Amino acid sequence: MSGAQERPLRADAARNRAKLLAVATEVFTTRGVGVPTEEIAQAAGVGVGTLFRHFPTKEALLSAVMVRRLETIAAETARLAAEAEPADAFFGCFRVVVDQSSGKSEFTQALAAAGVDAHAPLQESSMVIQAQLADLLAGAQQVGAVRPDLGLLELIALLVGTSTMMDHLGTDAPARERVFDVVFDGLRPR
C-alpha cells in the first residue's frame, strides 16, 4: 500500500470520529468556537487523546465541522431535488443552506486567526452545492415559482445575507420565519 492511501478506520474509530463531529457541530454552533476541545471530547464520551488522534488541532476539528455542514447541505439538497416539486425543492434548499450556515462566519474568523485557510477544504463541496443551486433555481424558474431575472450569483448573495441576518436573530423562531417569508416573497415573480 502506498503512503498516499489511508487505511480505513476501524468501526469503533469511525464511530468515535462521527460522534466527535456531531458533538462538535452542535456545541460550536450553539455555544461558539471558544468551547475547549476537552469539553467536546467529554460530551462525546471519549478521551482528549482520541479527539486529537482524529483532529490534531482545534482548527482541524473546526474545519471538519465546516466540511460536514457542506456535505449535509449537498445531501439534503440532492434529496429535495429528487423527492420534491421544483418550487418546494428550491425553497426547502434555501432554508437548509441558511440553517446549516449558522455561525459560519465565527468558524471562518477563528480559522483565519489561527492562520488556516478556511475556504480550501470547502472548495469541492462548495462547487457541488453551487451546481445543485443552479439546477434548483432553473427548475423553480421554469415552473414560474421564482422570478426569471434572478441569477446564481444573486441567489448566493441572498443566501449569505439571509444567513447573516439569522445569526443576528439567534433562536427567535417567529422572527426567523418572518425573514424567510419576506425573502421568499421577494424571490417570487410579481
Side-chain angles (χ1 to χ4, degrees):
M1 174 160 52
S2 77
Q5 293 178 327
E6 291 183 26
R7 284 190 338 221
L9 291 176
R10 294 184 335 245
D12 61 330
R15 279 191 304 273
N16 284 342
R17 186 179 195 285
K19 180 71 172 173
L20 283 163
L21 267 177
V23 168
T25 300
E26 176 65 24
V27 170
F28 288 149
T29 301
T30 58
R31 295 180 44 208
V33 298
V35 175
T37 51
E38 292 80 9
E39 285 188 41
I40 302 291
Q42 183 179 19
V46 300
V48 175
T50 298
L51 184 147
F52 286 123
R53 267 192 301 284
H54 291 286
F55 309 102
T57 64
K58 185 174 187 176
E59 291 75 23
L61 179 58
L62 283 169
S63 201
V65 167
M66 290 180 69
V67 169
R68 182 174 190 253
R69 284 175 147 190
L70 287 184
E71 290 169 348
T72 299
I73 290 169
E76 184 62 13
T77 299
R79 185 193 68 75
L80 286 166
E83 296 176 4
E85 294 299 318
D88 293 337
F90 175 82
F91 290 109
C93 176
F94 196 103
R95 282 181 181 274
V96 167
V97 171
V98 169
D99 289 342
Q100 286 294 317
S101 296
S102 176
K104 181 183 173 196
S105 62
E106 185 182 9
F107 283 40
T108 304
Q109 289 169 359
L111 289 170
V116 177
D117 179 4
H119 301 289
L122 307 178
Q123 284 183 336
E124 185 178 330
S125 297
S126 294
M127 297 300 287
V128 168
I129 293 168
Q130 283 187 23
Q132 291 173 316
L133 287 172
D135 290 344
L136 289 175
L137 176 61
Q141 287 172 324
Q142 286 174 350
V143 299
V146 173
R147 52 190 302 155
D149 59 338
L150 182 72
L152 181 60
L153 291 177
E154 292 107 351
L155 173 59
I156 291 170
L158 284 167
L159 285 163
V160 170
T162 305
S163 298
T164 301
M165 275 191 290
M166 295 301 192
D167 279 348
H168 288 286
L169 292 174
T171 59
D172 185 344
R176 292 174 68 87
E177 206 49 46
R178 283 190 299 276
V179 168
F180 277 125
D181 288 345
V182 169
V183 172
F184 290 174
D185 186 51
L187 288 168
R188 291 187 175 93
R190 294 279 172 237

